[in-house]
Amino acid sequence: MKILGEKVMKNINFDNIDKLYKKLKPALKSKVKELHLLNRYYINEEDIFDYLCINVWENNNNLELCDLVNDILYLDDEVLDNYVAKNIANKLKKEGK
């Protein structure tokens, strides 16, 4: 799980990223289940959380828990798939494969 900046933590009113992750875990699990039904077994809860932290939540103000859950459940599968594929490709490139 990537560490978020102070700005993001203030925006979502949680003092600890681990507490936020645990609070969102049921929604993240639900989204992963949905993705597995679409044969996207390589996407996990941390991928979803990291994507949203970096690309959605970091630039928003006054986020509430219901907004975060909504973002998770309605996250575009293709956008997430592209994000994860890019991360996998970058990781393999760094490892020299």
Side-chain angles (χ1 to χ4, degrees):
M1 189 173 4
K2 296 187 193 247
I3 297 175
L4 298 178
E6 191 174 305
K7 176 184 169 196
V8 177
M9 293 311 299
K10 284 181 183 175
N11 287 342
I12 50 184
N13 296 321
F14 273 84
D15 59 336
N16 181 307
I17 193 69
D18 292 327
K19 286 181 183 178
L20 174 62
Y21 186 84
K22 286 177 186 174
K23 200 73 154 162
L24 294 172
K25 188 90 167 156
L28 292 166
K29 281 185 172 186
S30 178
K31 186 64 174 182
V32 167
K33 243 185 201 181
E34 175 189 321
L35 292 165
H36 285 185
L37 291 173
L38 300 171
N39 296 318
R40 293 186 168 130
Y41 296 102
Y42 47 91
I43 300 175
N44 61 43
E45 294 154 7
E46 285 189 16
D47 293 326
I48 297 166
F49 188 76
D50 288 346
Y51 171 81
L52 290 168
C53 285
I54 294 166
N55 296 291
V56 178
W57 299 333
E58 188 170 65
N59 299 317
N60 285 314
N61 293 318
N62 302 319
L63 292 169
E64 295 186 20
L65 188 60
C66 61
D67 299 320
L68 305 180
V69 170
N70 189 62
D71 289 341
I72 292 167
L73 297 177
Y74 291 98
L75 178 58
D76 186 293
D77 300 340
E78 289 298 319
V79 171
L80 181 61
D81 190 39
N82 291 336
Y83 169 80
V84 172
K86 182 180 171 186
N87 281 349
I88 291 170
N90 288 338
K91 190 180 277 187
L92 290 174
K93 193 176 186 180
K94 286 180 184 178
E95 293 173 359
K97 294 182 179 181

